[in-house]
Amino acid sequence: MDSEISKKLEAFFTQFKHLKYKRGELLVRADDDPSGIFYLKKGIVKEYAISKKGDELVVNIFKPPAFFPMSWAINNTPNHYF
């Protein structure tokens, strides 16, 4: 990513509360409205659904820098993923 863009992102997101999560902790639960947009600076986030059989179906893997859940933010699409 361009360093100019990185600086702008950092400047923008420093005005919000910095959160840290432990490995395996849920950030967003399926069918709940997210508390906002997450900006991932460090680590990896797995977005997944649970099938009718109970299997975990990975939808996306987010790596820094990433924003999520964007479909909810842009289109107001209900969130069906963990």
Side-chain angles (χ1 to χ4, degrees):
M1 180 183 300
D2 185 301
S3 64
E4 181 84 17
I5 294 171
S6 294
K7 288 177 187 177
K8 287 181 180 182
L9 284 172
E10 287 295 320
F12 176 76
F13 280 103
T14 55
Q15 66 184 315
F16 301 103
K17 186 176 180 180
H18 181 215
L19 302 172
K20 288 186 178 186
Y21 293 90
K22 295 177 183 173
R23 184 183 186 125
E25 192 172 354
L26 287 177
L27 306 180
V28 179
R29 296 190 190 300
D31 299 322
D32 284 351
D33 279 336
S35 59
I37 298 299
F38 290 87
Y39 171 55
L40 183 62
K41 289 176 60 172
K42 183 179 176 183
I44 295 173
V45 173
K46 175 175 57 176
E47 181 179 34
Y48 64 94
I50 303 295
S51 74
K52 291 180 181 182
K53 292 181 180 180
D55 297 323
E56 184 179 286
L57 306 171
V58 177
V59 176
N60 205 341
I61 300 288
F62 296 102
K63 297 178 183 179
F67 306 93
F68 60 92
M70 293 309 292
S71 59
W72 170 81
I74 295 171
N75 300 325
N76 202 22
T77 303
N79 175 57
H80 298 294
Y81 305 111
F82 292 89

